[in-house]
């Protein structure tokens, strides 16, 4: 295992504390896939499926050889992953595909997909002897880091854009005891500041710029494939914000392909909110990357200058994938459908489902395709968005599928009338 620059290819030892190459670009962990070929098989992972043994009971560490082959004594695990893959017929009908699965990452210990990358990130922090960790966040990374740091006995410092994260997420950061800095700016300002501070003080940076976060995050793809009995779907569709998750997904799939655990490459569709769509603009117009000033109800992906855009593009191209954008109305309509199916997810997660509907309409995803949408966070993360949608109080958004509460007198007669 080594660290390699994604741009100039320079190598660094894995125990170097660094997030960027001297040339300024991002680093990634490179595994020796050649030697892994003879060492692991589908059976290795299938045999661990029913185990209660630490750390293989985790949906991340089950794939340890492909993630971080380190001494188990350092591992900080909840255990995370092992989230459900729902076959979602009704939602499938609504978007126009026959085979739709929803991978619910909101079922992780802190209710978002971030726990997969955080178990590896905090494990490395502990192994390297750090006493403090920090991240900038739109709320889920900070919730996850705060929880894992608390479990590991490490001090957590989170940078969040003031007034711009969902309440459930702010509550988690405070509750788990993180020092919570509400920055008077947006996520991109917070990200910029936290990277500088971590460079100056002895604090370990746990945003997805950290290559070890990406390693844990790869396990979403591994787990979906294993749940599908290693049958490769036609599409993976997921939201894009800071663009770590899709970079991780494509990296993991590429490794599986190189090792020979899958023989076909699924296509990846990254969906951005229209108001926070720098990757989409670059993709669509075939221009160079330009940050945007982000505006969206999906606060989790309210990011204008995503750190991992280069990794993201590289993975999308490798998978013959696409980038799409969706409007606020499309996000909230999709959310209402996911919620009403009894599954539920936060707004940003539902970019996936809204994106599939749009890609079916434009003929890119076909009716017969097997499609996996990743739901990145729990419905309960953002109760304000839910309640205000059903009360018809979201500015500029029609509550197409509203389920309004009914105010009623405390009498049997009034109730009978209402139920009629
Ligand atoms: N969905 C949710 C619920 C998220 O919290 C995020 C990112 C994304 C999608 C986008 O994933 O950044 O890997 O492209 N949340 C980060 C955070 C930025 O700070 O919690 P991405």
């Amino acid at each position: 295992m080594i660290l390699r620059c994604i741009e100039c290819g320079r190598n660094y030892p894995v125990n170097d504390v660094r997030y960027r190459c001297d040339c300024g670009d991002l680093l990634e962990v490179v595994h020796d896939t050649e030697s892994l070929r003879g060492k692991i098989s589908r059976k290795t992972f299938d045999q661990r499926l029913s185990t209660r043994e630490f750390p293989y009971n985790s949906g991340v560490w089950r794939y340890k050889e492909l993630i971080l082959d380190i001494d188990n004594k350092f591992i900080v695990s909840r255990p995370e992953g092992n989230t459900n893959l729902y076959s979602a017929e009704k939602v499938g009908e609504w978007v126009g595909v026959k085979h739709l699965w929803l991978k619910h990452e909101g079922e992780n210990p802190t209710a978002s997909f971030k726990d997969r990358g955080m178990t590896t990130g905090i494990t490395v922090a502990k192994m390297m002897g750090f006493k403090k960790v920090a991240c900038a966040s739109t709320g889920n990374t900070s919730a996850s880091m705060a929880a894992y740091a608390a479990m590991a006995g490490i001090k957590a410092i989170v940078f969040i854009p003031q007034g711009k994260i969902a309440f459930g997420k702010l509550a988690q950061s405070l509750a788990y005891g993180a020092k919570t800095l509400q920055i008077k700016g947006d996520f991109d300002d917070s990200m910029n500041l936290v990277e500088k501070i971590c460079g100056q003080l002895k604090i370990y940076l746990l945003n997805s710029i950290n290559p070890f976060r990406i390693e844990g995050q790869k396990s979403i793809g591994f787990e979906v494939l294993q749940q599908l009995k290693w049958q490769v779907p036609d599409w993976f569709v997921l939201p894009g914000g800071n663009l770590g998750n899709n970079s991780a997904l494509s990296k993991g799939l590429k490794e599986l392909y190189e090792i020979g655990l899958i023989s076909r490459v699924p296509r990846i569709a990254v969906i951005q909110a229209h108001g926070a769509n720098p990757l989409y603009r670059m993709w669509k117009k075939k221009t160079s990357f330009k940050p945007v000033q982000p505006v969206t109800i999906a606060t989790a992906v309210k990011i204008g200058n995503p750190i991992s855009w280069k990794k993201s593009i590289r993975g999308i191209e490798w998978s013959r994938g696409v980038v799409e954008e969706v409007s606020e109305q499309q996000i909230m309509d999709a959310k209402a459908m996911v919620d009403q199916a009894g599954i539920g997810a936060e707004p940003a997660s539902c970019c996936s489902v809204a994106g599939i509907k749009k890609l079916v309409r434009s003929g890119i995803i076909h009716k017969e395709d097997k499609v996996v949408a990743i739901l990145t966070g729990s419905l309960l993360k953002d109760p304000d968005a839910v309640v205000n949608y059903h009360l018809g109080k979201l500015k500029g958004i029609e509550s197409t599928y509203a389920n309004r509460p009914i105010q009623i007198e405390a009498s049997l007669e009034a109730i009978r009338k209402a139920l009629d």
Side-chain angles (χ1 to χ4, degrees), residues 111-114 135-144 159-161 165 169 187 207-208 213-214 217 238-248 270-272 298-303 306 308 312 346-352 374-378 381:
S112 88
F113 73 104
K114 303 290 183 181
C135 70
S137 183
T138 55
N140 279 327
T141 302
S142 45
S144 180
F159 291 52
I160 50 173
I165 75 167
K169 304 174 188 181
F187 169 83
N207 277 98
S208 55
R213 281 271 320 276
I214 300 286
Q217 205 56 63
L238 72 173
N242 213 18
L243 303 176
N245 200 20
N246 70 85
S247 301
V270 175
I271 316 297
Q272 293 207 294
T299 51
V301 289
K302 195 170 169 196
I303 296 174
S308 294
S312 171
E346 68 167 286
S349 303
C350 300
C351 287
S352 314
I374 295 173
L375 300 179
T376 43
S378 159
K381 289 275 190 174

